[in-house]
Amino acid sequence: MLAAGLERCPALVLNADFRPLSYFPLSLWSWQEAVKAVYMERVNVLSEYDRLVHSPSIEFKLPSVISLKEYVPSSRRPAFTRFNVFLRDKFTCQYCGHPGSAEELTFDHVIPRSRGGRTSWQNVVTACSPCNLRKGNRLPHRCGMEPRHKPDTPSSFELQENGRSFPPNYLHESWHDFLYWDTELETG
């Protein structure tokens, strides 16, 4: 059943309301997971690749876009993780405004832990390494480095909206209608 290149045929997974389960990372299932879900009748196939897969008894096209038959509510409170802090802050240093990748960025305690600051949504911001080193163990008002945005707890919706600004490197043409269907159309 395995043919060369099938690993490059993931299926975009949509919730029952036809929105992606997640924009960042984009909700994708491997071709094997998608085929299993189709076979178990847990999903609807909305679009297909031109690639065929077959077992001894059946043959069908690989699904490229599937939707769940049952709606899965999103978590109301996102996990407090380094990546989600970066996503909340749109992968931008909150001190100098320089954008960066997850590998280039760090996070900074606005009020340093040594001065009673906690590791929480309300006290941690994205920082580039130079700004993090420059601020060091000082309070923002002492070094003239106030964050551009007051850190707070984002909603899952806010993180997903921010994630839409960072599309993955590869988007199959069959996914476009489902990824951006709720964006405003251009007039002209």
Side-chain angles (χ1 to χ4, degrees):
M1 186 168 175
L2 182 62
L6 289 181
E7 65 277 355
R8 291 180 296 199
C9 296
L12 174 63
V13 184
L14 307 177
N15 211 335
D17 66 354
F18 298 99
R19 291 179 185 240
L21 290 175
S22 169
Y23 279 101
F24 203 80
L26 191 56
S27 52
L28 301 176
W29 284 355
S30 69
W31 69 270
Q32 297 98 324
E33 291 174 294
V35 166
K36 181 179 177 183
V38 170
Y39 180 77
M40 296 178 74
E41 299 182 357
R42 293 185 317 190
V43 297
N44 297 308
V45 177
L46 304 176
S47 187
E48 300 169 323
Y49 289 104
D50 290 332
R51 303 286 305 264
L52 292 172
V53 292
H54 55 85
S55 71
S57 59
I58 61 171
E59 175 179 276
F60 58 90
K61 288 184 175 182
L62 282 177
S64 65
V65 181
I66 56 178
S67 67
L68 302 177
K69 288 188 175 183
E70 293 187 27
Y71 182 78
V72 176
S74 63
S75 171
R76 293 181 187 256
R77 299 194 62 188
F80 178 64
T81 65
R82 176 183 298 264
F83 186 83
N84 281 347
V85 169
F86 295 163
L87 192 54
R88 176 199 66 191
D89 296 341
K90 299 179 180 177
F91 290 86
T92 301
C93 176
Q94 292 303 291
Y95 297 116
C96 71
H98 178 74
S101 68
E103 293 78 27
E104 299 168 328
L105 296 168
T106 64
F107 71 81
D108 179 64
H109 289 81
V110 178
I111 298 172
R113 290 186 341 176
S114 64
R115 298 176 182 259
R118 300 184 55 138
T119 303
S120 68
W121 283 113
Q122 292 75 25
N123 191 48
V124 171
V125 296
T126 302
C128 65
S129 292
C131 284
N132 202 341
L133 287 171
R134 193 169 85 235
K135 180 179 172 285
N137 197 29
R138 298 179 293 172
L139 294 171
H141 69 277
R142 293 272 187 195
C143 59
M145 294 181 69
E146 294 289 338
R148 291 169 176 246
H149 302 284
K150 182 180 178 192
D152 63 353
T153 305
S155 67
S156 292
F157 177 78
E158 288 172 296
L159 290 184
Q160 289 303 320
E161 284 299 302
N162 287 354
R164 291 180 64 204
S165 301
F166 302 98
N169 294 334
Y170 171 77
L171 295 172
H172 189 265
E173 61 193 34
S174 66
W175 303 351
H176 290 273
D177 288 338
F178 301 98
L179 289 176
Y180 306 110
W181 69 274
D182 59 347
T183 57
E184 190 172 330
L185 298 174
E186 294 181 26
T187 58

